[in-house]
Amino acid sequence: MRQSNSGFSEAGLRRMRDVLARYVESGKIPGLVALVSRGEETHAEALGTIRHDGGPPMRRDTIFRMASTSKPVGMSAAMILLDECRLRLDDLVDPWLPELADRQVLKRIDGPLDDTVPARRPITVRDVLTSTFGLGMDMTSLGTPIMNAVFEQGLTPNLPTPMPEPDEWMRRLGALPLMHQPGERWQYHIASDLLGVLVARVTGQSYETFLRERIFDPLGMKDTGFHVPADKIDRLPPLYAPDPQSGEFHVWDEAKGGRHSQPPAFQGGGGGLNSTADDYHAYFRMLLNGGMHGTERILSRAAVNLMTTNRLAPEQQAARHAMAVNNVHVSFGQGQHGGWGFGMAVRTYRGDYAPVGQFGWDGGSGTSTYADPENQITGILLTQVGTSVPDPARLFHDFWTTVYQAIDD
């Protein structure tokens, strides 16, 4: 380990490695890649193996299913369209997403699907970017007719059958009423997948093609995409979903022949990307640099500021906060961030070691990616142990605690 001149202490980085190694040595996390940077200094650790029963070691260039940490990256496509005035925040989405015109809204969240009132207004681009267009994954409403319909129609990933191609996905989405009036309530996930369809229809390119041309290639994110090609598949670990009772490791998705080994029918901005620690580091550093990568401007400074600061009104924030503090037992204490920008959490109060203004998100496949403008820190922690058990969530928290305790200036 080289002498640190970045404001991370040697002792602090050793403690970080020791804490991460404990998870691997305990058998709870087969392997991980962690990367932290501050200023010009980058420190990476690759610990353990890609399989829980051994196999090749984790390496810095191991490829991971990023799950919901896809959201902050996928959002950049929309920001480019805003920068270029090809979209405006308060444009109606109807011209591109006619399936969402003339919405009906449930009278009650747990009511029958035909007990509705007309939407008070059409859905706007802003509603999609802020996850307030009226439909989403509501963990407090599981078992209601609307949530059952969302699952039955295959509108979310991680179901036994993959999501259909975008036009069919939109047709199914358009057949459902909204859960809330447009712009009223923050709801998780579905807006991030909808965003990819919007980008594709506005640009006339596939979502992935646009991201590759405008974000991935300029940033050198050579291992990022919606599937892992055959010549790289050996770098993708299996994804485990341990049994919540016994802790036994079950393979949820194998690498070869698995969900990420072929191009998907639906390119999901909510959770479909595969990537590496260094690729994600390039993206989050670009955000910390106000949209610049070296001498090349990727996003305007204004676009980055818009993405990475809170966009929720106080009453929307109250609902999101209630989810964080009242569902600790469900999410294994996923963390209290406060706000939400575009496609990512934004800290609006100090709920743990991280300061106000830190932005990023976590993924259900055991991934955590954030950047902190105040300290100029980027941190990326990647595993492939799903959050069916508390270990990955606890690992996230311990990783971030050790990142902040290592600051020494």
Side-chain angles (χ1 to χ4, degrees), residues 204-264:
Q205 296 177 286
S206 80
Y207 183 38
E208 181 168 30
T209 299
F210 188 73
L211 279 168
R212 187 163 306 291
E213 289 180 1
R214 304 301 302 272
I215 300 291
F216 301 161
D217 285 352
L219 288 175
M221 296 171 70
K222 62 185 184 299
D223 291 321
T224 302
F226 288 105
H227 83 288
V228 180
D231 61 347
K232 297 181 180 180
I233 200 79
D234 289 340
R235 290 161 55 195
L236 180 73
L239 174 57
Y240 294 107
D243 183 284
Q245 269 69 51
S246 68
E248 184 187 349
F249 278 85
H250 296 297
V251 175
W252 195 86
D253 183 45
E254 197 47 88
K256 288 179 180 161
R259 292 168 180 243
H260 291 257
S261 64
Q262 297 291 328

Side-chain angles (χ1 to χ4, degrees), residues 107-135:
K107 287 184 185 171
R108 305 178 22 167
I109 192 77
D110 57 353
L113 298 185
D114 56 359
D115 188 17
T116 60
V117 295
R120 288 195 288 265
R121 64 161 176 80
I123 294 168
T124 65
V125 172
R126 187 189 300 271
D127 298 331
V128 176
L129 300 193
T130 53
S131 278
T132 61
F133 84 98
L135 264 176

Side-chain angles (χ1 to χ4, degrees), residues 34-317:
L35 185 152
V36 292
S37 74
R38 192 169 187 219
E40 297 307 305
E41 186 85 5
T42 300
H43 180 84
E45 300 280 2
L47 303 173
T49 54
I50 68 170
R51 301 191 69 91
H52 90 94
D53 48 3
M58 279 284 182
R59 302 190 330 197
R60 184 163 169 169
D61 69 349
T62 297
I63 297 172
F64 294 83
R65 299 164 193 77
M66 299 306 292
S68 286
T69 54
S70 303
K71 292 175 169 72
V73 175
M75 182 56 68
S76 59
M79 305 316 292
I80 288 171
L81 296 178
L82 290 176
D83 272 345
E84 296 178 351
C85 300
R86 295 161 78 181
L87 278 179
R88 297 173 204 89
L89 286 170
D90 293 312
D91 279 346
L92 307 188
V93 298
D94 297 4
W96 299 288
L97 306 174
E99 298 92 341
L100 296 184
D102 304 318
R103 294 289 76 203
Q104 292 288 311
V105 183
L106 289 175
K107 287 184 185 171
R108 305 178 22 167
I109 192 77
D110 57 353
L113 298 185
D114 56 359
D115 188 17
T116 60
V117 295
R120 288 195 288 265
R121 64 161 176 80
I123 294 168
T124 65
V125 172
R126 187 189 300 271
D127 298 331
V128 176
L129 300 193
T130 53
S131 278
T132 61
F133 84 98
L135 264 176
M137 298 291 294
D138 187 343
M139 293 307 154
T140 62
S141 302
L142 294 177
T144 58
I146 184 65
M147 282 306 297
N148 289 345
V150 164
F151 292 131
E152 285 160 12
Q153 292 298 317
L155 294 175
T156 64
N158 304 343
L159 297 172
T161 51
M163 289 160 68
E165 51 81 29
D167 290 351
E168 172 60 17
W169 188 85
M170 286 301 306
R171 188 193 68 73
R172 296 182 194 180
L173 189 70
L176 297 179
L178 299 181
M179 300 161 84
H180 298 282
Q181 289 286 344
E184 183 177 77
R185 190 179 175 101
W186 179 85
Q187 288 184 286
Y188 189 54
H189 184 77
I190 292 178
S192 298
D193 281 338
L194 181 60
L195 171 82
V197 183
L198 178 64
V199 167
R201 290 186 177 179
V202 171
T203 62
Q205 296 177 286
S206 80
Y207 183 38
E208 181 168 30
T209 299
F210 188 73
L211 279 168
R212 187 163 306 291
E213 289 180 1
R214 304 301 302 272
I215 300 291
F216 301 161
D217 285 352
L219 288 175
M221 296 171 70
K222 62 185 184 299
D223 291 321
T224 302
F226 288 105
H227 83 288
V228 180
D231 61 347
K232 297 181 180 180
I233 200 79
D234 289 340
R235 290 161 55 195
L236 180 73
L239 174 57
Y240 294 107
D243 183 284
Q245 269 69 51
S246 68
E248 184 187 349
F249 278 85
H250 296 297
V251 175
W252 195 86
D253 183 45
E254 197 47 88
K256 288 179 180 161
R259 292 168 180 243
H260 291 257
S261 64
Q262 297 291 328
F266 190 98
Q267 296 170 353
L273 287 176
N274 307 277
S275 193
T276 62
D278 281 290
D279 279 12
Y280 257 58
H281 181 230
Y283 180 76
F284 277 88
R285 289 300 300 180
M286 178 271 291
L287 296 183
L288 278 186
N289 290 333
M292 292 295 288
H293 177 68
T295 58
E296 186 175 0
R297 181 158 289 286
I298 308 293
L299 296 173
S300 70
R301 183 173 289 279
V304 173
N305 288 341
L306 192 60
M307 289 170 80
T308 60
T309 50
N310 180 48
R311 302 266 64 83
L312 300 185
E315 61 276 12
Q316 293 169 327
Q317 195 142 332

Side-chain angles (χ1 to χ4, degrees), residues 334-400:
Q334 193 172 37
Q336 296 186 18
H337 307 88
W340 191 260
F342 286 168
M344 63 188 91
V346 178
R347 289 187 186 269
T348 51
Y349 67 94
R350 193 154 197 153
D352 55 33
Y353 279 34
V356 170
Q358 187 207 42
F359 56 81
W361 198 224
D362 304 310
S365 59
T367 56
S368 184
T369 59
Y370 289 84
D372 165 6
E374 180 182 315
N375 293 293
Q376 286 295 298
I377 283 174
T378 305
I380 294 155
L381 176 76
L382 305 177
T383 79
Q384 293 286 255
V385 179
T387 47
S388 55
V389 289
D391 304 311
R394 290 172 181 160
L395 173 60
F396 297 166
H397 290 299
D398 292 350
F399 170 66
W400 287 106

Side-chain angles (χ1 to χ4, degrees), residues 16-39:
M16 181 173 78
R17 181 189 168 87
D18 290 345
V19 168
L20 299 179
R22 281 209 300 269
Y23 279 88
V24 175
E25 288 156 9
S26 72
K28 290 174 177 164
I29 303 289
L32 60 86
V33 175
L35 185 152
V36 292
S37 74
R38 192 169 187 219

